[in-house]
Amino acid sequence: MQKAGLLLRPCARTWKSVRMASSAVARRNPLENKVALVTASTDGIGFAIARRLAQDGAHVVVSSRKQQNVDRAVAMLRGEGLSVTGTVCHVGKGEDRERLVATAVNLHGGVDILVSNAAVMPFFGNLMDVTEEILDINVKATALITKAVVPEMEKRGGGSVVIVASVGAYRPFPLWDDQETLESLKATMQIKRIGKPEDCAGIVSFLCSEDASYITGETVVVAGGMPSRL
């Protein structure tokens, strides 16, 4: 039996590698032919998310308030061989939200993914001092653009909505405009560095994939281990 076991181990290793290889092939483009809208996606976290969704096979429509920013982002991502288009969209304007959705429908036949990333940032202060503009963009506009895309998602049998927010909702922190404040902030993290936009992109792609089809209504914190519980 000992000899048999020795003979079987190489076979088991080979089978495991075959399974892993076939799985990698199947998952190479987990968002293949999905259509994604990403708001505020010409820079920072939004741009990193748009790039990752396109790398994973999605047709991505990027957006920003300024045409030159849209043009620059589209040119950069197309230069990487990715399927990306773009349009101007101020999420606080109803006509802009409608144009964003219409762009995806007209070019690709529908919408499967919405990543709501647009926000007025930053606001540091008492909650009672929040302006109407901040509430319009950070709360109202997110609800309205979700309302606009859901009918299109229903036509395709479902979809994914990911809303990007700040860990400041759990743990308010001051402006880190000096090194001392930055270092004290890093000290609260398990991973002792400030996150990069790309650190947020992979989890969004996962949440929009079939692998996350049984996940809904959850808050996923990407904050380097910063305390994040109410």
Side-chain angles (χ1 to χ4, degrees):
M1 290 299 293
Q2 190 173 19
K3 288 183 179 179
L6 291 172
L7 288 171
L8 284 172
R9 282 184 195 128
C11 296
R13 284 197 298 269
T14 301
W15 175 242
K16 182 179 179 181
S17 65
V18 169
R19 282 189 302 160
M20 291 176 66
S22 63
S23 176
V25 170
R27 297 173 188 274
R28 186 170 296 159
N29 293 306
L31 304 179
E32 188 170 11
N33 293 324
K34 299 289 186 180
V35 181
L37 303 180
V38 187
T39 63
S41 50
T42 60
D43 196 11
I45 291 174
F47 182 79
I49 290 171
R51 171 184 271 156
R52 179 58 182 268
L53 298 184
Q55 288 173 340
D56 287 347
H59 303 294
V60 179
V61 181
V62 300
S63 65
S64 176
R65 291 179 296 171
K66 297 181 180 179
Q67 185 67 57
Q68 62 265 33
N69 293 344
V70 172
D71 294 341
R72 184 185 68 248
V74 169
M76 189 179 301
L77 295 176
R78 283 184 175 175
E80 298 174 11
L82 302 175
S83 178
V84 176
T85 56
T87 186
V88 170
C89 180
H90 186 309
V91 295
K93 298 179 179 179
E95 62 271 23
D96 281 18
R97 295 192 299 266
E98 291 173 8
R99 183 173 57 248
L100 179 60
V101 176
T103 298
V105 173
N106 293 337
L107 289 176
H108 304 295
V111 181
D112 302 290
I113 295 165
L114 168 65
V115 180
S116 179
N117 178 65
V120 177
M121 290 287 284
F123 173 76
F124 295 91
N126 192 298
L127 183 63
M128 300 307 295
D129 295 327
V130 173
T131 66
E132 187 172 349
E133 180 193 12
I134 291 175
L135 293 176
D136 280 346
I137 301 301
N138 292 12
V139 181
K140 182 179 174 182
T142 296
L144 291 176
I145 197 167
T146 301
K147 181 180 178 180
V149 299
V150 166
E152 297 299 333
M153 292 179 174
E154 289 176 336
K155 294 175 186 177
R156 295 162 76 90
S160 301
V161 176
V162 177
I163 299 171
V164 179
S166 170
V167 71
Y170 289 111
R171 184 182 174 88
F173 49 86
L175 271 162
W176 16 293
D177 52 1
D178 62 87
Q179 193 62 32
E180 183 180 353
T181 304
L182 181 61
E183 292 303 320
S184 65
L185 182 64
K186 286 164 62 177
T188 68
M189 300 176 175
Q190 296 299 317
I191 300 176
K192 304 299 182 182
R193 67 173 177 83
I194 299 299
K196 300 176 292 185
E198 291 75 17
D199 292 323
C200 302
I203 185 63
V204 174
S205 182
F206 164 72
L207 290 172
C208 296
S209 73
E210 290 302 314
D211 284 338
S213 62
Y214 202 60
I215 297 174
T216 189
E218 298 291 348
T219 300
V220 180
V221 178
V222 184
M226 181 185 292
S228 55
R229 295 291 181 272
L230 292 175

